[in-house]
Each structure stands twice: as C-alpha cells, then as structure tokens.
C-alpha cells in the first residue's frame, strides 16, 4: 500500500487491484493476450503455451515451498499423475477437457496428501528426499502398470475438443492453456488473502509458534501439499494436451529441479516471483539455442555446443542467485520504485 493512500472501506482494502493504474495495466495485459496469437507465428505460440504451463506448475510449487516453507522435489511426478489421468480419460472415455483437467488435478491432490504426511515430522532436506522417493515410486508405476499407462511406450492423447472443435494446433490450444493458467494465478493470489494462506505463511516463518497460536500444523501442511499437487496435476494435464504423448520419461527428476529453480530464481513467496521464474527458466534455454544456431558452425557445431548451452544456463542461474538472492521479483520491485521516485533522487 502506498503511503498517504486512504482506504475507504474493507472491500477496498481487501481488493486485489486497488488503484486505477493497476487496472489500466491489467486491461493492457488482457488486450495483449487476446491479440498475441493473431500476430505471431507457431513458434511463439508454442513458447507461449509452454510458458503458461510452466507458470501454472511453478505457482503450485511456490504455494508449497515459497509460502509454506516445505521443500518438494516431486512436482514432475505430480504433473505425471495429471497427464496420465487426462490421457486415460480422453483416450478411453472421451470426457470433456475441462472435466479431465479437474480430474487430473484431483488425482494428483489425493496422492499429494499421502506424500505430505511425513511433513509433520521431517522438514528441509529430509522432506525433499521423501518427495524424491515418492517420485521414484510413481515413475515405477508409470513404467510398469502397462494395462493402464501403456508401460514404457506411454500413451497417445487425442486432441481436446471444445464444442466439437478439436484443439489440435498451438493457436487453438492457446485458448485453453492460457485462460486456465490465468485462472490458477488469480486463485493463488487470492489464497494468501485468506486465513488459510496466512496460516501457510505463519508455518513457513515459525512453525512452532504457529502451533502455539492454534494453527494445526498437520492439517495446513497437508492442505498446502494438496493445493500444490492439484496445480501440478492440472499443469500436467495441459502438458498432455499440448504434446499429445505421455511417457514415464516425460516427467524426470530434472523437471522437478527445473521448477524448484524457477521458484528460487523468480523469488520465493511471491506470485510474481513464480511467474518471472517460470518465464526465465523457459526462455533462457530457447535464447541460448537461437544463439548457438546463429553461429556459423553448421550442424556439427550445434551438436558440440549443446552441452555448452546447458553449462551457460547453469552459470546464469548460479550467478543470478549470488548477485540477487531475492530473485527477479526484487529486481522488478526496484525498477518500479525507481520510476515511482523519478525524477527525484534520495539524498545521501
């Protein structure tokens, strides 16, 4: 809240966007998202859909790790649960896409509650190891329950249908993936203005004190796991519709590390941080790929430089964490503060 800005009512004080400037920027963003698919090619549509999926999953992990303080390395496995649920429902029953996505989130949520039970006794590295163990178990199920998941060969996913229109191109999928991701973002932003969200933050800051104040730790920790897993399941369902093939190798441990890095780089404990981190983690490899492709080294050079691209990507993340540990959202906050104060300067 800005200094000197008086709130006229409780509704105004609790509103998510409380200034005219914020509503103007929100309107411009909405118009840009509506016009975007009509002015770009398939490559940028592909990236936009992928970024939206990653934002949805990173937001779910941010609820658990950034806001509740529970480290998880099982996000990819929960995405796999959502993806396989969507694939099975779409392939065998042809149920509506929205229902399939909700079912995928629900299945991941139920498993997430079970995985979250150890969080009452362990935390930090030990909790991360328990989620890794859960991801290995789920990977084993994906690979060996052949009658349901197709085994190591995986499953093909029929395109989603919307009133008889198959969503089989990036342009058409954009109108499913982006609205779902935006809805999930708005829900997450409002969550932390409620008692549940504030309980999550209290547990993160000092869990023993939160319990003394009457916050039941097990209930709220399991609720955080459930919400995070639901977001991952829905994101996994969107992933299945987007790539149309689901295999056990589609959701490796490295994907979980990818989302954890996105939350850390973007800024833990902020919705904006999850958004910026997911965009950064998705776009930097693509930018590096383009740079390698522009170099006059031919196809063999691209193959040689592929590991270098991965190393550069890792160095960027490490360097960023060293020089700006609060993440991209802190850089954004500094930029905003600069323009709020410009042309004035603080006097030293």
């Amino acid at each position: 809240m800005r200094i000197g800005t008086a709130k006229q009512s409780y509704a105004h004080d609790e509103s998510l966007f409380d200034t005219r400037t914020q509503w103007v920027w929100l309107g411009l963003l909405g118009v840009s998202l509506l016009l975007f698919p009509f002015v770009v090619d398939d490559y940028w549509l592909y990236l936009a859909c992928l970024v939206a999926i990653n934002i949805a999953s990173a937001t779910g992990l941010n609820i658990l790790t950034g806001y509740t303080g529970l480290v998880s390395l099982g996000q990819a496995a929960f995405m796999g649960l959502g993806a396989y649920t969507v694939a099975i429902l779409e392939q065998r029953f042809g149920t509506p896409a929205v229902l399939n996505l909700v079912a995928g989130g629900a299945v991941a949520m139920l498993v997430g509650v079970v995985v979250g039970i150890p969080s009452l006794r362990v935390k930090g590295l030990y909790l991360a190891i328990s989620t890794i163990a859960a991801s290995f178990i789920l990977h084993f199920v994906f690979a060996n329950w052949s009658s349901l998941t197709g085994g190591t060969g995986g499953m093909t996913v029929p395109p989603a249908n919307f009133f008889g229109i198959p969503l089989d191109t990036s342009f058409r999928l954009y109108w499913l993936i982006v609205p779902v991701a935006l809805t999930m973002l708005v829900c997450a932003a409002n969550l932390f203005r409620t008692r549940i969200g504030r309980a999550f933050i209290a547990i993160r800051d000092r869990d023993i004190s939160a319990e003394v104040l009457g916050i039941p730790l097990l209930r709220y920790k399991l609720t955080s796991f459930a919400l995070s897993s639901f977001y991952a399941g829905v994101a996994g369902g969107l992933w299945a519709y987007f790539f149309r093939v689901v295999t056990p190798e589609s959701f490796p441990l490295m994907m979980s590390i990818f989302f954890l890095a996105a939350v850390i780089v973007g800024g833990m404990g902020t919705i904006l941080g999850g958004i910026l981190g997911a965009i950064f983690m998705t776009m930097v490899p693509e930018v590096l790929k383009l740079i390698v492709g522009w170099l006059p080294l031919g196809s063999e050079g691209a193959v040689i430089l592929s590991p270098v691209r991965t190393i550069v990507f890792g160095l960027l993340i490490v360097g960023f964490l060293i020089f700006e540990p609060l993440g991209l959202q802190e850089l954004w906050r500094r930029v905003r503060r600069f323009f709020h104060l410009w042309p004035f300067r603080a006097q030293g």
Side-chain angles (χ1 to χ4, degrees):
M1 186 178 69
R2 293 177 302 176
I3 297 176
T5 302
K7 303 297 183 180
Q8 303 297 324
S9 65
Y10 285 114
H12 188 204
D13 186 50
E14 293 179 354
S15 60
L16 191 59
F17 302 102
D18 57 359
T19 67
R20 183 175 300 176
T21 302
Q22 290 176 335
W23 281 107
V24 170
W25 282 111
L26 183 64
L28 292 175
L29 175 62
V31 172
S32 299
L33 292 176
L34 288 174
L35 295 178
F36 181 81
F38 297 102
V39 297
V40 298
D41 57 18
D42 287 341
Y43 174 74
W44 288 104
L45 281 173
Y46 163 83
L47 287 180
C49 292
L50 186 59
V51 165
I53 293 171
N54 290 341
I55 286 175
S57 187
T59 300
L61 184 60
N62 205 8
I63 292 173
L64 182 66
T65 301
Y67 283 98
T68 317
L70 303 175
V71 181
S72 172
L73 286 172
Q75 195 75 351
F78 295 128
M79 287 183 67
L81 282 170
Y84 271 104
T85 301
V86 165
I88 292 168
L89 292 175
E90 190 69 54
Q91 188 180 92
R92 301 189 180 184
F93 304 101
T95 45
V98 175
L99 178 61
N100 294 342
L101 291 174
V102 173
V107 171
M109 179 177 65
L110 293 175
V111 177
V113 170
V114 176
V115 174
I117 291 176
S119 66
L120 185 64
R121 297 296 182 186
V122 297
K123 62 177 64 174
L125 178 62
Y126 301 102
L127 180 59
I129 292 174
S130 71
T131 58
I132 292 176
S135 68
F136 285 145
I137 293 172
L138 290 174
H139 185 275
F140 179 83
V141 172
F142 297 154
N144 292 276
W145 196 353
S146 301
S147 60
L148 185 65
T149 65
T152 56
M155 302 179 67
T156 57
V157 184
N161 276 274
F162 185 76
F163 293 104
I165 302 174
L167 306 182
D168 52 1
T169 64
S170 296
F171 177 84
R172 293 178 177 179
L173 280 169
Y174 177 92
W175 302 105
L176 171 67
I177 294 174
V178 172
V180 170
L182 287 175
T183 301
M184 296 168 74
L185 280 174
V186 172
C187 291
N190 280 283
L191 171 67
F192 297 100
R193 293 140 45 78
T194 67
R195 182 181 63 181
I196 295 175
R198 292 176 181 132
F200 290 168
I201 296 172
I203 292 171
R204 177 198 65 191
D205 292 342
R206 185 75 68 176
D207 56 351
I208 297 177
S209 299
E211 188 174 25
V212 170
L213 292 173
I215 297 175
L217 295 186
L218 180 61
R219 181 196 305 173
Y220 281 105
K221 285 184 177 181
L222 293 184
T223 300
S224 182
F225 262 99
L227 289 173
S228 176
S229 302
F230 180 85
Y231 270 61
V234 174
L238 294 173
W239 193 98
Y241 279 129
F242 186 55
F243 289 100
R244 302 278 300 280
V245 176
V246 180
T247 68
E249 304 305 322
S250 300
F251 304 98
L253 178 61
M254 283 301 300
M255 181 180 283
S256 295
I257 297 174
F258 170 92
F259 287 114
L260 183 59
V263 171
I264 295 173
V265 168
M268 298 177 65
T270 63
I271 297 298
L272 179 61
I275 297 171
L276 296 178
I279 294 173
F280 178 87
M281 294 292 292
T282 305
M283 295 302 298
V284 167
E286 295 297 325
V287 172
L288 294 176
K289 186 189 302 182
L290 290 175
I291 293 174
V292 170
W294 288 336
L295 295 177
L297 299 175
S299 59
E300 295 183 358
V303 173
I304 295 173
L305 289 177
S306 180
V308 176
R309 186 176 68 242
T310 304
I311 294 172
V312 172
F313 180 47
L315 290 176
L316 281 173
I317 296 174
V318 172
F320 191 88
L321 292 178
I322 291 174
F323 293 105
E324 188 48 79
L326 295 180
L328 288 167
Q329 62 86 24
E330 175 64 17
L331 289 179
W332 173 250
R333 188 185 68 83
R334 291 177 182 175
V335 171
R336 288 188 59 194
R337 184 172 60 185
F338 172 82
F339 283 104
H340 281 165
L341 297 176
W342 187 86
F344 302 100
R345 295 289 186 274
Q347 298 298 322

